[in-house]
Amino acid sequence: MEPESIPSSSRNPSQLSWINLSRNLLLAYQSFGVVYGDLSTSPLYVYTSTFKGKLKDHHDEETIFGVFSLIFWTLTLIPLLKYVFILLSADDNGEGGTFALYSLLCRHAKFNLLPNQQAADEELSSYKYGPSSQAGASSPLKLFLEKHRRLRTVLLVVVLFGACMVIGDGVLSPAISVLASVSGLKYTQAKFNDGELVILACVILVGLFALQHCGTHRVAFMFAPIVIVWLLSILIVGIYNIIHWNPKIIFAISPQYIVKFFIKTGTEGWISLGGILLCITGAEAMFADLGHFTASSIRIAFGFVIYPCLVMQYMGQAAFLSKNVESVHNSFYDSIPGPVFWPVFVIATMAAIVGSQATITATFSIIKQCHALGCFPRVKVVHTSKHIFGQIYIPEINWILMILTLAVTIGFQDTTLIGNAYGLACMTVMFVTTFLMALVIIFVWQKSILVASIFLLFFWVIEGVYLSAAFLKVHQGGWVPLVLSFFFLIVMYVWHYGIRRKYKYDLHNKVSLKWLLGLGPSLGIVRVPGIGLIYSELATGIPAIFTHFVTNLPAFHKVLVFVCVKSVPVPHVSPEERFLIGRACPRPYRMYRCIVRYGYKDIKKDDGEFENHLIQSIMEFIQMEAVEPQLSSSEASSFDGRMAVIGTRSLASTPSMIASEQEYADVDESIPSSRSITLRRLQSTFDDENPQVRRRRVRFQVPNSPGLDNAAREELLELIQAKEAGVAYIMGHSYVKARKSSSFLKKLVIDMGYSILRKNCRGPAVALNIPHISLIEVGMIYYV
């Protein structure tokens, strides 16, 4: 998405500043279609939602001036001050959003509930982003939160609740945007009735969700121009209405009109805040979508284009309403001059679709992040663009969102009721974000608790007033995001609780290394040619499921690799830091450990090169161990201890290890293998019938390195021969059950909730792109 960087060595400072400015301007242009679609379409329904209900008896100029003043200061304090000037500075390696803040907190304090983090993770280049956490190591508040597990659990629940409300946005935003954009047809000569408008909105929504699989990148070039034309349209219409109807509206910028508004309307004015807060719906996208742009580009776009256009449009609508109070129920379309009605209507509909698209994409992204942190069941994630990182599509979630959006549209058929729900969802996300930001100020920025308290109280007072008004409308549609969030929160927490209990079971039932060493290098069974990749969630130790093989199978692979695929609390892990390689047992056992690390925004692509990269990394580790004595100073420290970071470099960059490389490989029956010739021929047939999942056949060779001793050469040769014999993927097919002594609630969560989710989500083998023909699954029951 970003233009190619130009080497700085050949540029002087003035050229660099110009290049940086032009890059930010280009990204600012692109951000209009992705970030601001939702926020820029709010003028369609803000005044209508505000004046419908309790303010129906206050349709006069003074009240209208007060409403505009509230809108102006709300836009100024929350999107401009809080998001643009403060939150955009709290990025996580360029990423933003609720999970970015939580990730920062987990790195600077021990808030993570899943104990699978290692000291080596802290050496990641992206892990060290921001101030060092050493300065705040002795903070009493930090120690207090780390000590009390329940408080860390509460923090996780708060983060998940915020994420669930974002999912609620993904349901409500398309419904209100599309329905509001077509509502103008009700007042045209065609005189569409409510039922016809709902049908038209549903057709547009079905088309919108049906096109999600194509990916936003296919029509991204259209998005920014549509929103820019829309912004110019509402800016011009707004200026026209100010000049034509009531230029005095400019004085309503003064906060004294807010005071007059509340004195006159009282409680009814407070309740109407539930409609006014809709002017900032979509503001959270500025922070959530930060990863696709830069903070400077988003600041430029909002400060110089979005903010003035929206202020002029709201001011123009208020000027029109002050002289046409009877138009409050269709204020936006009535304020458009007749000759330009249809062009603006078409642009409004297109802008609403763009805004909905951005919200749906953000929902996919938040669910992907939830899954990476172990808080959402495994779902199919499709990367829709080869060039723009982070654009993903989740089929199951897409159709669930479509069904829920259609249900909301058909059920309510009214933008005011949907607006009540949407406003509650958006303000809850902002409320949670403010709380997390206050913690970031303390633990990450290492400012005083006083500074964080001032920030928290200032914005919580403003957001709390709006949130309280939104909660008063729970019975008028506001219950929808609460029900949706409660459902998704239950799903997320049950899943997280289940995998946490399963991980603890594995941790407490690891195979005794003393017992394993007592079996000798042969493990008491026949070791046959081949490599066995044993998948486990354990980052250290031998999983309990390994004992099933040793005690029940007469033979096992000569080379064993314990593979752990885990997520770390950073947005991205570079390929150079992807693999951690070490030994699980002393050298004669030929047992290795490989930890594959991904960030919460990384995509696990099935490029067919995992096997080759893994073997390449183990070979590099063996060579590194041979030339660096500190890695194997003694037999005691050379296994299940230190691990080396091995980068997943391209195979072309290590020609000394590659003997040959070919796309199509026949079965070589002369090579000894743990698999029968029939099975190997079946593998070849499977590859021929499924060319999209074919793995390249790479033949490795022992590199001619003068630093290698005979033992290392022999180990490398055995590894290469095992690779030639074949690779098998071994996984545990686990059944998690609560102990008989467990409480009724725990049995309900584990035996019902977690079991149902586990049976109906994608299998771990599919999620990890493991070839089915090479998979061995072993059943095991976990009593947690």
Side-chain angles (χ1 to χ4, degrees):
M1 191 163 199
E2 299 180 10
E4 288 188 14
S5 58
I6 299 174
S8 58
S9 56
S10 60
R11 306 287 182 182
N12 60 43
S14 61
Q15 285 178 314
L16 282 174
S17 62
W18 170 249
I19 290 168
N20 191 44
L21 176 61
S22 60
R23 174 174 173 269
N24 281 322
L25 288 175
L26 177 61
L27 289 173
Y29 166 77
Q30 293 173 336
S31 71
F32 288 118
V34 177
V35 177
Y36 296 112
D38 191 14
L39 184 62
S40 66
T41 54
S42 296
L44 288 168
Y45 44 79
V46 170
Y47 281 107
T48 302
S49 297
T50 303
F51 283 99
K52 206 175 214 180
K54 296 294 183 181
L55 285 185
K56 60 186 176 183
D57 297 326
H58 298 281
H59 294 175
D60 54 74
E61 182 175 299
E62 188 177 358
T63 304
I64 290 166
F65 275 39
V67 168
F68 166 70
S69 189
L70 276 166
I71 291 172
F72 172 78
W73 285 105
T74 303
L75 275 171
T76 302
L77 292 176
I78 295 182
L80 187 63
L81 179 60
K82 176 186 164 184
Y83 279 92
V84 171
F85 287 108
I86 301 176
L87 269 172
L88 288 180
S89 302
D91 64 298
D92 179 15
N93 292 276
E95 297 292 338
T98 307
F99 276 100
L101 296 177
Y102 183 64
S103 171
L104 281 172
L105 291 171
C106 285
R107 298 211 301 274
H108 288 80
K110 296 176 183 178
F111 291 158
N112 202 336
L113 291 175
L114 201 62
N116 67 342
Q117 301 304 319
Q118 300 168 281
D121 296 338
E122 299 179 14
E123 300 301 318
L124 289 167
S125 56
S126 54
Y127 199 99
K128 302 173 185 177
Y129 188 81
S132 170
S133 60
Q134 297 303 315
S138 59
S139 165
L141 179 60
K142 177 181 174 183
L143 295 175
F144 179 76
L145 291 173
E146 289 179 345
K147 182 180 178 182
H148 293 81
R149 183 180 184 83
R150 288 186 178 179
L151 292 177
R152 288 183 285 137
T153 303
V154 169
L155 178 63
L156 176 65
V157 171
V158 168
V159 172
L160 293 181
F161 186 66
C164 291
M165 282 295 182
V166 173
I167 298 172
D169 286 351
V171 173
L172 297 166
S173 175
I176 190 171
S177 298
V178 174
L179 192 57
S181 67
V182 301
S183 63
L185 292 174
K186 186 189 296 186
Y187 302 95
T188 62
Q189 292 180 351
K191 298 290 181 184
F192 281 71
N193 59 41
D194 289 340
E196 291 169 336
L197 291 177
V198 169
I199 292 172
L200 178 59
C202 289
V203 169
I204 294 173
L205 288 170
V206 169
L208 176 65
F209 283 100
L211 290 174
Q212 289 302 308
H213 72 279
C214 297
T216 55
H217 68 286
R218 300 198 184 276
V219 287
F221 72 95
M222 291 175 55
F223 283 9
I226 288 171
V227 175
I228 289 173
V229 172
W230 163 251
L231 288 167
L232 289 175
S233 301
I234 62 175
L235 173 66
I236 294 168
V237 170
I239 293 173
Y240 168 81
N241 285 331
I242 293 169
I243 297 170
H244 185 264
W245 293 107
N246 194 351
K248 292 181 181 179
I249 186 66
I250 196 168
F251 296 114
I253 290 175
S254 171
Q256 68 176 347
Y257 283 89
I258 297 177
V259 177
K260 291 180 181 178
F261 172 79
F262 284 115
I263 290 173
K264 181 177 181 180
T265 59
T267 306
E268 295 169 349
W270 170 48
I271 295 172
S272 72
L273 291 176
I276 293 172
L277 67 84
L278 293 175
C279 71
I280 53 172
T281 53
E284 68 276 5
M286 286 192 289
F287 186 48
D289 293 331
L290 180 60
H292 299 291
F293 307 98
T294 62
S296 298
S297 64
I298 290 179
R299 286 182 176 123
I300 290 169
F302 185 83
F304 291 98
V305 181
I306 301 293
Y307 181 73
C309 286
L310 289 178
V311 169
M312 287 294 106
Q313 167 54 213
Y314 286 120
M315 190 182 291
Q317 270 196 67
F320 170 79
L321 287 176
S322 66
K323 302 300 182 184
N324 301 273
V325 292
E326 71 282 354
S327 295
V328 290
H329 298 301
N330 191 41
S331 61
F332 177 78
Y333 283 112
D334 282 355
S335 68
I336 298 172
V340 296
F341 175 86
W342 285 108
V344 173
F345 171 78
V346 172
I347 296 167
T349 305
M350 296 173 71
I353 293 171
V354 170
S356 303
Q357 173 67 55
T359 313
I360 295 166
T361 304
T363 305
F364 293 155
S365 179
I366 202 82
I367 286 176
K368 164 71 178 66
Q369 293 173 32
C370 288
H371 167 62
L373 293 175
C375 298
F376 202 86
R378 291 179 294 269
V379 288
K380 182 179 182 179
V381 177
V382 180
H383 200 242
T384 59
S385 174
K386 295 180 180 178
H387 309 291
I388 304 174
F389 189 85
Q391 288 193 356
I392 58 174
Y393 166 65
I394 304 176
E396 300 96 325
I397 300 301
N398 182 62
W399 303 123
I400 290 173
L401 287 180
M402 187 187 78
I403 293 168
L404 292 174
T405 302
L406 292 175
V408 167
T409 305
I410 296 169
F412 288 133
Q413 302 185 15
D414 183 4
T415 55
T416 302
L417 294 176
I418 301 174
N420 294 338
Y422 190 30
L424 178 60
C426 289
M427 192 48 67
T428 304
V429 174
M430 293 179 183
F431 203 74
V432 169
T433 303
T434 301
F435 170 67
L436 294 175
M437 185 64 210
L439 294 179
V440 167
I441 290 172
I442 298 171
F443 299 123
V444 181
W445 289 0
Q446 295 167 12
K447 304 294 182 183
S448 68
I449 294 179
L450 178 62
V451 173
S453 300
I454 292 171
F455 169 84
L456 184 68
L457 290 174
F458 179 76
F459 286 106
W460 259 15
V461 166
I462 298 170
E463 293 166 356
V465 171
Y466 278 114
L467 195 59
S468 63
F471 269 110
L472 288 175
K473 297 187 177 182
V474 166
H475 64 287
Q476 296 177 336
W479 57 269
V480 172
L482 294 176
V483 171
L484 288 174
S485 298
F486 181 75
F487 172 76
F488 280 105
L489 183 62
I490 293 294
V491 169
M492 289 180 182
Y493 192 77
V494 165
W495 181 262
H496 185 73
Y497 180 77
I499 63 170
R500 204 168 73 229
R501 301 302 303 180
K502 182 175 177 291
Y503 185 86
K504 285 187 175 181
Y505 179 94
D506 276 332
L507 205 60
H508 294 144
N509 292 275
K510 291 190 292 189
V511 176
S512 166
L513 203 56
K514 184 177 181 181
W515 173 78
L516 202 61
L517 295 176
L519 295 175
S522 68
L523 301 178
I525 54 178
V526 178
R527 301 290 291 273
V528 296
I531 296 178
L533 303 182
I534 303 172
Y535 279 78
S536 166
E537 293 172 2
L538 283 180
T540 58
I542 309 297
I545 199 168
F546 185 65
T547 58
H548 286 239
F549 294 107
V550 177
T551 55
N552 294 305
L553 293 178
F556 215 46
H557 301 86
K558 186 170 287 187
V559 175
L560 298 176
V561 184
F562 294 94
V563 181
C564 171
V565 180
K566 73 171 188 177
S567 293
V568 288
V570 296
H572 304 289
V573 176
S574 66
E576 292 76 21
E577 300 174 306
R578 181 81 68 208
F579 283 152
L580 271 177
I581 303 291
R583 293 189 184 275
C585 279
R587 177 177 282 178
Y589 287 71
R590 303 295 190 255
M591 294 169 67
Y592 308 93
R593 182 179 308 286
C594 172
I595 298 174
V596 190
R597 301 178 293 183
Y598 289 94
Y600 59 81
K601 297 203 78 173
D602 282 330
I603 304 291
K604 300 180 181 70
K605 294 183 180 178
D606 182 18
D607 56 4
E609 293 294 333
F610 178 77
E611 281 181 19
N612 297 326
H613 283 312
L614 180 62
I615 304 305
Q616 175 193 4
S617 299
I618 296 175
M619 291 178 69
E620 288 187 26
F621 170 77
I622 294 170
Q623 292 179 81
M624 188 186 300
E625 195 181 47
V627 298
E628 297 182 22
Q630 66 269 21
L631 275 177
S632 56
S633 56
S634 68
E635 281 297 308
S637 65
S638 64
F639 58 89
D640 214 24
R642 298 178 184 177
M643 303 187 74
V645 178
I646 308 292
T648 57
R649 294 178 292 171
S650 65
L651 296 171
S653 66
T654 54
S656 61
M657 294 185 186
I658 309 300
S660 67
E661 202 174 331
Q662 55 190 30
E663 200 73 34
Y664 304 98
D666 296 324
V667 177
D668 189 349
E669 298 180 6
S670 64
I671 298 175
S673 174
S674 60
R675 292 185 288 183
S676 67
I677 292 175
T678 303
L679 187 58
R680 292 158 71 190
R681 285 174 178 168
L682 183 63
Q683 168 82 63
S684 180
T685 304
F686 175 81
D687 287 343
D688 290 336
E689 293 176 353
N690 298 273
Q692 71 277 8
V693 295
R694 282 191 72 112
R695 268 70 176 163
R696 279 191 304 160
R697 182 67 180 270
V698 177
R699 292 184 182 275
F700 292 90
Q701 64 182 4
V702 178
N704 295 320
S705 175
L708 289 178
D709 55 22
N710 290 332
R713 288 183 181 276
E714 181 184 350
E715 186 176 9
L716 285 169
L717 186 61
E718 285 190 21
L719 179 64
I720 292 168
Q721 289 173 345
K723 168 69 168 64
E724 293 297 317
V727 178
Y729 295 77
I730 302 154
M731 299 192 75
H733 191 82
S734 55
Y735 299 89
V736 182
K737 294 185 177 181
R739 292 194 187 99
K740 292 182 178 179
S741 58
S742 301
S743 65
F744 172 77
L745 182 60
K746 185 176 179 180
K747 288 180 180 178
L748 184 67
V749 169
I750 295 295
D751 295 344
M752 291 284 292
Y754 183 71
S755 177
I756 291 171
L757 291 175
R758 193 172 178 84
K759 287 176 182 176
N760 290 280
C761 71
R762 298 188 96 206
V766 179
L768 293 169
N769 301 313
I770 293 175
H772 184 69
I773 197 74
S774 305
L775 176 64
I776 302 173
E777 288 191 288
V778 179
M780 184 172 179
I781 299 177
Y782 288 75
Y783 287 102
V784 298

